[in-house]
Amino acid sequence: MNQLTGMLRIMWIDLSYFFRTKWLIGTLIALNITDMLVVGLIYKNMMSINYFNFYAPGVIVTGLFFASFDVGRRVHLGLTEGVSQYYLTLPVSLDGIVLAHLISAGLGGAIYAGILTLVASAFLHQLLTPATLLLIPFMFILAMGLAGIAAVLNLFSKAGDRYWVFADGLQTAFVSLSTIAYPLTIVSSYLPPALVTFVEYNPLSQGAEALRTVINGAPSSGVFNLPALLLTSLVLFGVGVISYRHVFTELRELGKL
């Protein structure tokens, strides 16, 4: 087994765990689409904007976030069940293991978001354009960056049950402090300027606004910034590399966390 083969094997294991249970994936997709339809259509005629067109991209990006985060959950289980120790015995470098986990998170998030986008396109025909395909590489980078957040959680939670508490809290914070459900103009009326800035540059906000740009031809709330999306995603990816590298270095030296 060479370096590339080992990395591909780790990536395949990560992805197969998430997509192995077809009924679970089908249920998750059904829940996301139901959320999109129920909330979007009910509020559609109650706001000054077409809320369905606004909310659907938010659901897609939220699905991407949770799918990419799932790899962090798998890494946490691997740390507690001895799987990560096995990876360290393979002829794969430390950096190779780290990159395999983050790339698989990017692929998982992008694939799941792609499935949601394809289903949502039945209601939003504007998504059936080449511009949506051009966004796929950016969604992949975004998913890898968001997976970096899970790496930070593994760094601080170690092998304890604190990971689940940290993960739920951080996921709730990132989704709540974004333009997933509300335009920036509404958010800025209730939050202090510092939090509004975070909401604006939150990678979830940037990802949702990228899809809204495709649907509406322009960002719905004027916050989409492609360089900001790439920069924040790459920064989080870098943080993820550093965090996972520290975790696996400590695991290799001590045998456990």
Side-chain angles (χ1 to χ4, degrees):
M1 181 191 298
N2 56 31
Q3 174 87 354
L4 180 59
T5 303
M7 289 180 61
L8 290 175
R9 179 170 294 184
I10 294 172
M11 290 165 56
W12 173 252
I13 292 173
D14 283 346
L15 286 173
S16 65
Y17 270 118
F18 182 68
F19 291 103
R20 179 178 296 173
T21 310
K22 297 180 177 60
W23 284 108
L24 175 61
I25 295 298
T27 301
L28 292 175
I29 292 173
L31 289 174
N32 286 140
I33 297 300
T34 301
D35 184 30
M36 185 187 303
L37 291 174
V38 172
V39 177
L41 293 177
I42 287 177
Y43 284 86
K44 182 176 180 180
N45 297 319
M46 298 173 63
M47 302 182 70
S48 59
I49 61 174
N50 186 326
Y51 193 69
F52 181 74
N53 287 11
F54 179 86
Y55 187 60
V59 174
I60 293 171
V61 173
T62 302
L64 177 146
F65 181 35
F66 283 94
S68 62
F69 228 74
D70 188 74
V71 172
R73 182 173 67 89
R74 297 296 177 186
V75 173
H76 174 76
L77 292 174
L79 292 170
T80 57
E81 297 175 358
V83 177
S84 297
Q85 288 86 334
Y86 166 71
Y87 287 158
L88 292 173
T89 67
L90 300 176
V92 182
S93 68
L94 205 63
D95 291 332
I97 296 174
V98 170
L99 290 176
H101 283 310
L102 290 173
I103 291 174
S104 62
L107 290 172
I111 292 171
Y112 189 75
I115 295 172
L116 288 179
T117 302
L118 186 61
V119 176
S121 65
F123 309 97
L124 292 169
H125 302 299
Q126 303 95 313
L127 289 172
L128 297 174
T129 62
T132 304
L133 295 177
L134 292 175
L135 281 179
I136 292 178
F138 298 103
M139 291 300 171
F140 169 69
I141 296 172
L142 172 61
M144 284 199 301
L146 293 172
I149 302 173
V152 176
L153 294 185
N154 277 301
L155 174 63
F156 287 102
S157 65
K158 300 298 177 73
D161 292 334
R162 291 174 297 177
Y163 177 85
W164 312 108
V165 179
F166 292 162
D168 288 343
L170 205 56
Q171 286 174 326
T172 300
F174 263 79
V175 172
S176 300
L177 295 174
S178 72
T179 60
I180 292 293
Y182 304 102
L184 187 65
T185 51
I186 301 296
V187 173
S188 60
S189 302
Y190 296 92
L191 296 179
L195 283 181
V196 172
T197 300
F198 177 83
V199 170
E200 180 176 356
Y201 291 99
N202 183 335
L204 297 183
S205 298
Q206 295 297 326
E209 288 300 328
L211 286 171
R212 288 168 187 146
T213 300
V214 173
I215 293 172
N216 302 317
S220 57
S221 56
V223 301
F224 177 52
N225 186 326
L226 183 59
L229 172 62
L230 290 175
L231 181 60
T232 54
S233 298
L234 291 175
V235 167
L236 289 174
F237 173 77
V239 170
V241 169
I242 295 171
S243 300
Y244 270 151
R245 206 177 192 289
H246 180 80
V247 168
F248 288 119
T249 298
E250 188 173 348
L251 183 66
R252 184 176 59 184
E253 294 176 352
L254 302 178
K256 63 179 182 178
L257 294 179

